[in-house]
Amino acid sequence: MKKILFFACGILFLVACAQTKNVASTQKAQSNTYWQQHVDYTMDIDMNVDTHQYKGTQKLVYTNNSPDNLDRVFYHLYFNAFQPGSQMDVRSLNIKDPDKRVGNRISKLKPNEIGYIKVNSLKQNGTEVTHKTVGTILEVELNQPIQSGESVVLEMSFDAQVPLQVRRSGRNNAEGVALSMSQWYPKLAEYDFQGWHTPPYIGREFHGVWGDFDVTIHIDKKYTVGGSGYLQNPQEIGHGYEDKTKPLNVPETSKLSWHFKAPNVHDFMWAADSNYNHDVVTMKNGIDLHFLYKKDLDGKYLKNWKDLQPKTVELMTYFSENVGQYPYKQYSVIQGGDGGMEYAMSTLITGKRNFGSLFGVTAHEMAHTWFQFLLASNESLHPWMDEGFTTYISNKASQEILNKNNENPHQGSYRGYKYVVKNGMEESLSTHADRYNTNTAYSIASYSKGNIFLSQLEYVIGKENVAKGLKKYFTDFSFKHPTPNDVQRTMEKVSGIHLDWYTNEWTQTTHTIDYGVKSVKGKTITLERIGKMPMPLDIEVRYTDGSKDNFNVALEMMRGNKPTKAILLKDWGWAYPTYSFEVSKPVQSVYIDKSGLMADIDLENNVFKVK
């Protein structure tokens, strides 16, 4: 009997184990399924242009597509950063190299110059919920958890004040633009496979939830408004939005109600001024490009804004052809802000610039549309995926559109990278955007080293593969918040080359590249790896008879070679410090990486001339 009972228990135990294994396998499969949250905003804003204060209501429908039940939610209240004693203020006062646009300005703001968003009430499905403002974050304790797959309605009323323009947002910027309204509303924080993203607003970039925006702005009728979304009532507004073949029906009121809808975006920006020019250029494919800039600019600046318009058409065409088709029917270039900053379907740029500068900032900010807006990687965690890739493609666009003849259009990024390395300031690209020790280290890492990630990848897997990979990356991951692994895997699929070593070394360490020609003895050439980061090598060998050969040495761990017409040599196992190969003729000189695409920190030892 005991044996039978023992046998039966054993069978039950095995069945239970099998069931547990199946459940675990199912859970694992579910956890590997891609998901993202969704939020729809309906907002109504009443702006007082004299006090720079506004009252707002917000109805938010939040859909929890995660496998988790959520008992709390969080909002960003970005304007709260523009107050003396805020973390943005204190960080600027203590960092070694503060942003000159910020400096100590926040610490000196008067009560009528600070920014704030004050939440008066918040309801979950009609019932008040407990909430607490902690700096730039609103912490909300829900009455009932939002179940996985469930949608909830969150309704809010709030008061806000537009800060004196300091960083990106604000009123009365240095060029006299009245309102640059970015990060102006209570914005639901992102929740993804890494959990909640609720960093305080210190000064860096953003991360948002995809959704539809329905925004109505009541503002003094003298003001022209531009930004994200399509204007729904142009005949009631005018200001250059109207269909001139139809009659205007502008109400006889002191304020106009601008009604915008922006589908499938993760942010909403608007700007307003009583002295804006508003030009519209319609591209052949039907996309309307809007240009809003001050009427009282000096004549040379006004001319630059006119000259910019056909070039912006070329930029939109270039990015659509070389990354992916722009999916909206409108894009706006607006004078405002404190330099240049990208937003949904639009950008804010300062306008008192020579033409080269005006074109350059427009090229860069418009290129952000593809990486910050449409791909929307987490800018706080991986700013290099946005700023760096934007720099890469805008450099290439500028080279083509302005007919520049630079063999390497990214030379400035290489100089910046070598500067921080030489001065011991470099920090890993895996550093959170707000945690860099210096602004210089952040800028070079995000813009320069992020750019070099792609330009140097041309050296590793070939220019054609990078071009194909960029398009596939956009096709596969637009509207999906990609991660560094998604970039790597895309480039691997296109090229057939293993790149885990490259992503690790370049983005998660500060290892440097330094190769040299160690010796040439007769017809034997010996190369050496001096830096810690391994790389494949292109080598040009010139012979004493005037002829030359090009050679390519791949790394063993690449498990393949890039497309090349060079002579393929045996792969180099990275752990070996030296590598030798034979040539067929007496050698005159050896040159490592004539393209300049490899970020070798010491070029002196890349060239060897036989005496």
Side-chain angles (χ1 to χ4, degrees):
M1 184 69 179
K2 287 181 179 178
K3 289 182 179 179
I4 294 173
L5 181 62
F6 179 79
F7 180 77
C9 290
I11 293 294
L12 290 172
F13 176 76
L14 290 173
V15 170
C17 287
Q19 289 176 336
T20 301
K21 185 176 181 181
N22 288 338
V23 170
S25 297
T26 301
Q27 289 175 338
K28 184 177 181 182
Q30 289 175 343
S31 68
N32 288 335
T33 301
Y34 177 79
W35 56 267
Q36 63 174 308
Q37 307 294 68
H38 184 88
V39 61
D40 291 331
Y41 291 86
T42 301
M43 293 188 283
D44 192 280
I45 309 300
D46 190 15
M47 170 63 72
N48 186 322
V49 296
D50 296 319
T51 64
H52 307 104
Q53 296 177 351
Y54 56 101
K55 294 183 178 296
T57 60
Q58 180 188 90
K59 179 181 178 181
L60 185 154
V61 181
Y62 182 50
T63 302
N64 178 17
N65 292 317
S66 80
D68 309 315
N69 299 329
L70 306 177
D71 57 5
R72 296 198 295 168
V73 298
F74 302 86
Y75 290 77
H76 296 280
L77 307 176
Y78 291 115
F79 271 6
N80 290 357
F82 301 102
Q83 300 174 10
S86 71
Q87 290 197 59
M88 181 185 282
D89 177 33
V90 173
R91 173 67 166 166
S92 183
L93 293 172
N94 286 280
I95 197 169
K96 181 180 179 180
D97 56 343
D99 187 322
K100 294 179 181 179
R101 294 167 293 189
V102 182
N104 64 355
R105 291 176 62 202
I106 297 176
S107 67
K108 296 180 179 180
L109 293 177
K110 301 172 185 177
N112 67 336
E113 296 174 334
I114 67 170
Y116 62 74
I117 298 177
K118 297 178 180 178
V119 177
N120 300 320
S121 68
L122 180 58
K123 296 179 180 180
Q124 175 189 359
N125 292 334
T127 303
E128 287 282 348
V129 294
T130 301
H131 55 87
K132 178 175 64 174
T133 297
V134 181
T136 61
I137 298 296
L138 183 74
E139 301 175 351
V140 182
E141 298 287 343
L142 297 171
N143 296 326
Q144 298 291 331
I146 308 174
Q147 302 296 316
S148 175
E150 181 185 13
S151 294
V152 65
V153 177
L154 299 169
E155 294 176 279
M156 176 191 295
S157 67
F158 61 95
D159 295 329
Q161 179 170 285
V162 186
L164 191 67
Q165 200 283 327
V166 175
R167 189 70 182 95
R168 298 189 175 109
S169 312
R171 61 180 175 88
N172 304 325
N173 84 338
E175 296 184 347
V177 175
L179 294 168
S180 298
M181 299 295 286
S182 55
Q183 292 83 50
W184 58 273
Y185 61 95
K187 181 178 180 180
L188 195 71
E190 177 68 284
Y191 182 83
D192 62 17
F193 70 100
Q194 293 176 303
W196 284 104
H197 295 274
T198 58
Y201 186 26
I202 303 297
R204 293 299 179 216
E205 312 296 355
F206 311 100
H207 193 36
V209 190
W210 292 103
D212 298 336
F213 283 70
D214 187 318
V215 180
T216 301
I217 302 164
H218 309 279
I219 192 170
D220 187 308
K221 68 188 307 178
K222 295 189 296 291
Y223 282 66
T224 303
V225 179
S228 307
Y230 306 109
L231 184 62
Q232 300 298 294
N233 55 339
Q235 300 309 114
E236 298 172 12
I237 296 297
H239 286 270
Y241 287 93
E242 71 275 13
D243 182 343
K244 291 181 171 54
T245 66
K246 299 177 182 178
L248 275 172
N249 187 26
V250 179
E252 295 295 327
T253 54
S254 60
K255 290 185 176 182
L256 296 180
S257 298
W258 298 67
H259 183 198
F260 293 96
K261 287 187 178 181
N264 205 19
V265 298
H266 54 83
D267 198 8
F268 190 99
M269 177 276 289
W270 59 281
D273 194 271
S274 60
N275 197 31
Y276 267 151
N277 274 326
H278 179 199
D279 298 335
V280 182
V281 176
T282 301
M283 297 177 58
K284 291 180 180 179
N285 59 7
I287 296 174
D288 287 333
L289 301 179
H290 294 252
F291 299 86
L292 290 89
Y293 53 99
K294 297 280 284 185
K295 294 178 181 177
D296 56 3
L297 287 172
D298 289 346
K300 60 181 179 180
Y301 297 131
L302 285 174
K303 182 179 185 302
N304 290 342
W305 274 87
K306 292 292 186 182
D307 293 343
L308 175 68
Q309 295 171 22
K311 292 298 182 184
T312 306
V313 172
E314 293 184 59
L315 286 168
M316 177 64 78
T317 302
Y318 183 92
F319 298 139
S320 291
E321 290 177 350
N322 290 276
V323 185
Q325 181 58 49
Y326 181 70
Y328 302 89
K329 293 297 182 183
Q330 178 181 307
Y331 186 86
S332 299
V333 180
I334 305 171
Q335 185 183 0
D338 65 345
M341 183 63 192
E342 69 283 354
Y343 300 100
M345 303 169 65
S346 55
T347 182
L348 288 176
I349 62 173
T350 46
K352 293 182 178 180
R353 298 168 176 264
N354 62 44
F355 181 75
S357 176
L358 189 66
F359 173 84
V361 71
T362 303
H364 184 85
E365 304 310 331
M366 177 178 270
H368 269 299
T369 291
W370 281 260
F371 298 105
Q372 182 268 350
F373 174 38
L374 295 171
L375 284 156
S377 53
N378 187 334
E379 296 176 88
S380 295
L381 294 182
H382 314 296
W384 61 273
M385 291 177 65
D386 170 36
E387 294 293 357
F389 291 10
T390 291
T391 301
Y392 172 83
I393 201 67
S394 61
N395 283 352
K396 293 176 90 65
S398 297
Q399 167 127 320
E400 180 170 308
I401 293 170
L402 298 182
N403 297 313
K404 295 180 180 178
N405 190 26
N406 297 326
E407 185 175 345
N408 180 0
H410 315 292
Q411 290 173 351
S413 291
Y414 285 79
R415 286 193 297 268
Y417 165 66
K418 291 179 182 180
Y419 170 82
V420 294
V421 170
K422 180 180 178 181
N423 287 278
M425 300 171 64
E426 186 193 7
E427 297 180 56
S428 168
L429 292 188
S430 62
T431 307
H432 187 283
D434 287 319
R435 313 282 207 279
Y436 284 85
N437 289 325
T438 63
N439 281 317
T440 300
Y442 161 79
S443 296
I444 297 300
S446 301
Y447 292 78
S448 299
K449 199 173 179 186
N451 175 15
I452 296 170
F453 178 91
L454 287 181
S455 63
Q456 186 171 246
L457 198 58
E458 291 183 4
Y459 180 75
V460 176
I461 68 173
K463 184 177 180 180
E464 300 83 359
N465 280 330
V466 173
K468 291 176 185 176
L470 206 55
K471 289 182 179 181
K472 180 173 174 56
Y473 173 54
F474 178 81
T475 299
D476 292 351
F477 294 102
S478 53
F479 299 99
K480 291 183 180 178
H481 298 306
T483 66
N485 186 63
D486 296 321
V487 179
Q488 174 193 311
R489 291 293 294 127
T490 300
M491 295 297 177
E492 287 181 332
K493 290 173 183 177
V494 167
S495 67
I497 293 173
H498 294 191
L499 294 170
D500 53 328
W501 62 274
Y502 182 71
T503 304
N504 173 268
E505 292 275 350
W506 194 251
T507 71
Q508 298 177 42
T509 78
T510 54
H511 293 171
T512 56
I513 302 165
D514 185 10
Y515 279 89
V517 183
K518 186 175 184 179
S519 65
V520 177
K521 295 181 179 178
K523 297 176 184 178
T524 301
I525 298 170
T526 300
L527 312 174
E528 61 179 335
R529 177 181 57 77
I530 303 162
K532 290 183 178 180
M533 179 171 173
M535 283 286 285
L537 295 182
D538 288 336
I539 306 127
E540 179 191 271
V541 178
R542 288 188 177 271
Y543 304 110
T544 55
D545 65 2
S547 63
K548 68 175 182 178
D549 280 323
N550 291 307
F551 299 90
N552 176 259
V553 181
L555 292 172
E556 271 185 8
M557 55 189 171
M558 289 168 59
R559 311 301 169 193
N561 295 81
K562 69 178 177 182
T564 179
K565 295 179 181 179
I567 300 168
L568 300 180
L569 298 176
K570 181 183 176 183
D571 295 349
W572 187 341
W574 76 268
Y576 299 113
T578 61
Y579 178 98
S580 297
F581 66 99
E582 300 285 329
V583 293
S584 59
K585 304 176 186 178
V587 175
Q588 183 184 70
S589 65
V590 181
Y591 200 133
I592 296 175
D593 179 31
K594 223 170 181 184
S595 73
L597 290 175
M598 185 170 70
D600 192 311
I601 61 167
D602 181 9
L603 299 180
E604 294 295 322
N605 55 12
N606 285 37
V607 183
F608 189 100
K609 294 183 178 180
V610 178
K611 296 181 180 179

